[in-house]
Structure formats: structure tokens, C-alpha cells
Amino acid sequence: MHGMGKDYYKILGIAKGADEDAIKKAYRKMALKYHPDKNKSPGAEDKFKQISEAYEVLSDKDKREIYDKYGEEGLKGGMGTPGGAGGQGGNYSYTFSSRDPRETFRMFFGDEDPFSNFFSFGGGPGGSHQFFMGGGGGQPMDIGDDIPYGMGGGGYGMGGGHPGMRYSSGGGHKRQDPAIVSDLMVSLEEIYNGCTKKMKITRKVVSPDGTSVRQEDKILTVEIKKGWKAGTKITFPKEGDQLPHRVPADIVFVIKDKPHSVFKRDGSNIRYKAQIALKEALVGTTLHIPTLDGRIVPMQLNEVIKPTTTKRIPGAGLPYPKQQSSFGDMIVEFDIHFPDKISSNAKKQISACL
């Protein structure tokens, strides 16, 4: 190697003939060691800049070839580029000051965030942990409404950011994004019968040429089985934002019972509150109890009904999730309406009867 200047191979601690993997491995080790947000010793920041400069030159085939022939001064002074016509290619001028060493670090590691306990990529300690990419906007990943029914959305995923950034493969180990969890509201009728819900998600996907991020809609089909209990989770592996240097997040839907105007769920049983007058509670009546499958079941009341009394209609509840041919019960409770006032004569008659 001719010329004077920095010895990039020595800075990275590698041999001149080191291959691409060795260069990446060395940069990863040295950059993590001397990153100024972690290493506060004097000279660490300058060392970090030198490491970034060395990696940027040695990881580029053309820059490395010029450097190997002419050294740092030849590279920065505008020596002929390799591969020009007749071996006399055009001038090649390289100035490291145009590249922020933190940007080199960020593009190498992607959003791996190897120092998550020390700093974030958004500008030092306490900053944002988002890796901004693509053409701007900062719109989060969105889980939209379920197509035939509806579900609350949520804010998840990656932000927007620097236009025109190219996403290199880098050398970091991929880390999966945290799961994106969203409630899926399901009615009792849907739990009783089972149903299919189609959920639209909007996620970010890197363009084929790797220069931008676009939004993509995708439909996820959720099969709701009969009798599923609240809290049941349905997972779609790796359906989150499809971004470089990351393993896409799992999309997780969690079953939640939608409030019902008539019934209340109690495991695989259904509770129904019948409205009856005090007279009916004392002397008896026939009630007509609705069920989830649309039937009306008559219920004869002959005994005195107290506020704590309950009745059961066997098999009129929800299917058991592990034995869908069997059903829980309908539990009937009573809301007894007392009169606001009664006459003196009525009081005497009631007193005589009780």
C-alpha cells in the first residue's frame, strides 16, 4: 500500500487480506466498544469516528481497491477509480466528513438497538427508540376494522423518516419486534355459532429496490371457534411490518366478550335476568325466556321467588370449547319490582294472608 495516512486495517484490527465477513465482525466489535454513548473515556469518540471511516472504506470494493493502491491520501485526493476505460477511470474523491459515524452505525445495526439500556437511535440517552425509515410521515402500523363487524384499531410499528435511505443487509443479528396485541370483540351469538372474521392490517414493507418504504394492506382471516372463552389468543406469526434488520412482529388477537343487551356470559353458562312483579313472585306466573339460538323457552313459576332465587335451563348456554356438542346452562335470575306504595286496605289483606 502506497502513500501516507491512516491504516484502516490496523484500526479495525484485521489483516489486509480480510474478507467481507471479517470486516463486518471487526466493525461490530469495535463500534460497540467505542460508541460514545456507551464509552465515556477520553478519545472514544475520535476512535469511533476512525472505526466508522475504516469500515466505510474497507466494506466498499471500489474504495478499498483505491485505498490498497494509494493509501488514504490517494483515496481522498481523487485517484482514478478502478474499472475505467483503458484503466484510466474518472476521478474518485472520498471525504468522510460527509457521513455521520452514527449513521454508519445505525445502517449497520438497523434497529437492533444493542445498547437498549444505554441509549436509543433517536438521538442519545432518553430519546426515541424508533428507527426512522422511508419517505416520511411517521404513520404507525394500523390494525383496522374487521371487515364484516368491527374492532378498535391501535398504534403500532415503525415510524417514517429519511427520504431515499438505502437499507443494507448490515451485520447485526435480527431481533423480532414485540408482538402487536389487539382485542377482538366478539358477540355471544358469534361465540355460540362460531364465525369467521376478516381483519385488515396496514403494515410497512420495504420496496424491492430497498430505497423506500411503502404501506401495504393485508387481510388476516380469524376463525372463531364455538365456545371460545374471553382471553383466547389467535397468533399470526411474523405478519407485522416487513422491515430490514428485523424479524417481523407476530400479530396477536385476544378474544373479548362484546357486551350483550340481554345476556351475560359466565364461563360456558349464560345469565339472564327476568323482570317480574312482586305479585308474580308471590303467587307464580309463566315466563318466556329467550335463548341465544332464537328459541323461547317457557318457565313455570309456582313457588315463591326471592331476590336470591335462580333457575336453570339445561343446555341453553354456550358450547364447551373442548366438547362443542355439549352446552352450558342458562341461569335465570330475577329482578322483582316492588310497588312504590300500597293502600291501607291492601296492607291489611296482605298481613292477614302472611
Side-chain angles (χ1 to χ4, degrees):
M1 181 175 70
H2 303 283
M4 303 292 290
K6 299 185 185 74
D7 186 341
Y8 292 142
Y9 292 102
K10 185 176 180 180
I11 290 172
L12 291 182
I14 56 177
K16 184 177 179 181
D19 60 14
E20 182 180 355
D21 287 341
I23 294 170
K24 287 182 178 179
K25 183 177 180 180
Y27 173 75
R28 178 184 178 84
K29 177 182 176 181
M30 299 292 283
L32 291 174
K33 180 178 179 180
Y34 288 99
H35 196 293
D37 285 344
K38 177 173 182 277
N39 191 328
K40 301 300 182 180
S41 62
E45 185 166 1
D46 184 63
K47 181 71 172 178
F48 180 67
K49 291 179 180 178
Q50 292 183 35
I51 292 164
S52 299
E53 182 175 349
Y55 173 72
E56 189 174 337
V57 171
L58 298 183
S59 62
D60 184 290
K61 181 180 178 182
D62 291 341
K63 293 176 186 176
R64 183 179 181 182
E65 187 172 340
I66 293 173
Y67 174 76
D68 285 346
K69 289 182 179 180
Y70 305 109
E72 180 194 9
E73 297 304 320
L75 181 67
K76 296 183 177 181
M79 301 302 297
T81 57
Q88 302 295 323
N91 287 341
Y92 189 107
S93 180
Y94 168 70
T95 305
F96 184 75
S97 60
S98 64
R99 170 61 62 85
D100 182 352
R102 289 177 181 269
E103 185 70 12
T104 302
F105 185 89
R106 181 163 36 235
M107 292 189 69
F108 183 89
F109 286 98
D111 197 38
E112 182 184 344
D113 197 3
F115 299 135
S116 58
N117 292 328
F118 299 95
F119 68 93
S120 67
F121 293 142
S128 169
H129 284 271
Q130 290 181 313
F131 177 34
F132 293 102
M133 303 189 298
Q139 294 299 317
M141 179 174 179
D142 177 65
I143 297 181
D145 287 345
D146 120 53
I147 290 176
Y149 303 98
M151 186 197 84
Y156 310 98
M158 303 296 294
H162 305 298
M165 180 184 287
R166 179 174 293 276
Y167 311 101
S168 63
S169 61
H173 298 292
K174 290 187 177 181
R175 182 184 65 179
Q176 185 170 22
D177 289 340
I180 298 170
V181 181
S182 187
D183 291 345
L184 178 53
M185 304 303 292
V186 184
S187 71
L188 292 181
E189 286 83 0
E190 290 168 337
I191 292 295
Y192 183 88
N193 295 299
C195 69
T196 299
K197 285 182 172 285
K198 294 185 181 296
M199 310 301 297
K200 183 177 80 170
I201 64 171
T202 301
R203 62 185 183 177
K204 289 180 171 60
V205 179
V206 177
S207 63
D209 61 4
T211 59
S212 62
V213 172
R214 61 183 175 84
Q215 287 193 334
E216 173 187 81
D217 290 341
K218 184 168 183 178
I219 304 300
L220 302 179
T221 301
V222 184
E223 298 290 343
I224 307 296
K225 302 298 183 183
K226 293 180 179 181
W228 267 2
K229 295 182 178 180
T232 300
K233 295 181 179 181
I234 307 99
T235 300
F236 292 85
K238 301 179 182 178
E239 290 288 359
D241 290 339
Q242 310 289 304
L243 297 170
H245 312 302
R246 317 175 68 104
V247 177
D250 294 342
I251 304 293
V252 181
F253 295 105
V254 182
I255 296 296
K256 297 291 183 182
D257 291 330
K258 186 183 295 185
H260 198 281
S261 61
V262 177
F263 306 111
K264 185 176 180 180
R265 185 174 187 176
D266 182 5
S268 293
N269 297 324
I270 293 294
R271 289 186 175 271
Y272 172 77
K273 184 164 285 190
Q275 309 291 322
I276 62 173
L278 177 59
K279 175 184 175 181
E280 295 172 324
L282 295 174
V283 304
T285 188
T286 299
L287 301 178
H288 299 281
I289 309 298
T291 63
L292 280 171
D293 60 358
R295 293 179 296 129
I296 300 295
V297 178
M299 175 178 285
Q300 183 68 41
L301 302 179
N302 296 315
E303 72 274 32
V304 172
I305 300 299
K306 301 176 183 179
T308 56
T309 300
T310 58
K311 297 283 188 179
R312 282 182 178 262
I313 303 176
L318 294 168
Y320 290 106
K322 296 183 179 180
Q323 192 177 356
Q324 296 178 2
S325 60
S326 299
F327 294 79
D329 298 338
M330 171 81 74
I331 301 173
V332 181
E333 301 169 318
F334 299 94
D335 185 6
I336 303 171
H337 293 179
F338 286 74
D340 293 330
K341 59 182 180 179
I342 58 176
S343 66
S344 297
N345 187 46
K347 289 181 181 179
K348 290 178 182 179
Q349 293 178 6
I350 293 172
S351 179
C353 294
L354 296 179

